[in-house]
Amino acid sequence: MESIWKEKVDGVITQSGSSRLSLLPCLEAVQEECGYIPHEAVNYLRECLSIPSIDIYGMITFYSLLSTNQKGKYVIRLCNSLPCYLNGTENILDTLVDNLGIEPGQTTLDQRFTLELVPCLGLCDQSPAMVINGVVYGKLTAQLVTEVLDELRTY
């Protein structure tokens, strides 16, 4: 897997140049390939782009979709914005926590699910809402969440 992300990073650098402007596309390429950004990738980017590690980690921690922690097969991002909260995010979170046996920021032992509570998904018209691997689920109820999780468990 390492050689694949390196090839993608090298492709980004070839296309965009070896400047700070290439850092985010390189990080996205690694994240897409690995599901997270391993320490080895940070070292590789530091060498290729001549950017200090602290700056690379600063960018990773700034963008919530980037992570240095391995995530589950299904990453559940539950919106906790004011409209979602007022429409029941707390109940949906309780359903997810009970069903998965994990808290926000954790991954199930079988590496199937990661649960994240995010400040806003931009889905206020569908609140409460969550996104799982890019698929939007809106107007959530405890029953709908349970059905979605049960369906994902079959894959």
Side-chain angles (χ1 to χ4, degrees):
M1 186 182 322
E2 180 177 312
S3 62
I4 296 172
W5 66 254
K6 279 187 178 182
E7 288 175 17
K8 288 189 174 192
V9 166
D10 291 342
V12 170
I13 292 171
T14 299
Q15 191 173 34
S16 303
S18 58
S19 72
R20 283 187 176 269
L21 296 175
S22 298
L23 180 56
L24 185 56
C26 287
L27 290 170
E28 290 172 332
V30 174
Q31 177 90 21
E32 181 181 320
E33 186 59 41
C34 300
Y36 72 110
I37 301 168
H39 182 69
E40 298 79 27
V42 172
N43 288 338
Y44 188 72
L45 291 170
R46 184 190 73 229
E47 293 172 16
C48 292
L49 301 176
S50 299
I51 299 174
S53 296
I54 193 162
D55 292 349
I56 297 171
Y57 282 112
M59 183 170 282
I60 293 168
T61 57
F62 180 78
Y63 290 101
S64 64
L65 295 180
L66 298 176
S67 177
T68 56
N69 298 320
Q70 195 162 7
K71 307 241 179 191
K73 179 179 179 181
Y74 299 106
V75 179
I76 302 167
R77 292 185 170 93
L78 178 63
C79 185
N80 196 32
S81 68
L82 184 59
C84 283
Y85 183 82
L86 292 175
N87 284 306
T89 291
E90 195 169 1
N91 294 332
I92 300 305
L93 179 59
D94 289 344
T95 301
L96 287 164
V97 167
D98 291 345
N99 196 306
L100 298 172
I102 58 172
E103 296 290 329
Q106 296 179 334
T107 299
T108 56
L109 293 176
D110 63 4
Q111 297 294 309
R112 183 163 282 191
F113 297 99
T114 297
L115 178 59
E116 297 179 347
L117 200 56
V118 297
C120 185
L121 292 171
L123 299 167
C124 300
D125 61 323
Q126 299 180 52
S127 66
M130 67 181 178
V131 174
I132 303 176
N133 292 8
V135 178
V136 173
Y137 298 90
K139 302 201 183 292
L140 295 172
T141 63
Q143 180 179 343
L144 177 59
V145 168
T146 301
E147 290 171 5
V148 168
L149 294 177
D150 288 346
E151 182 179 335
L152 291 175
R153 284 187 173 105
T154 64
Y155 296 115

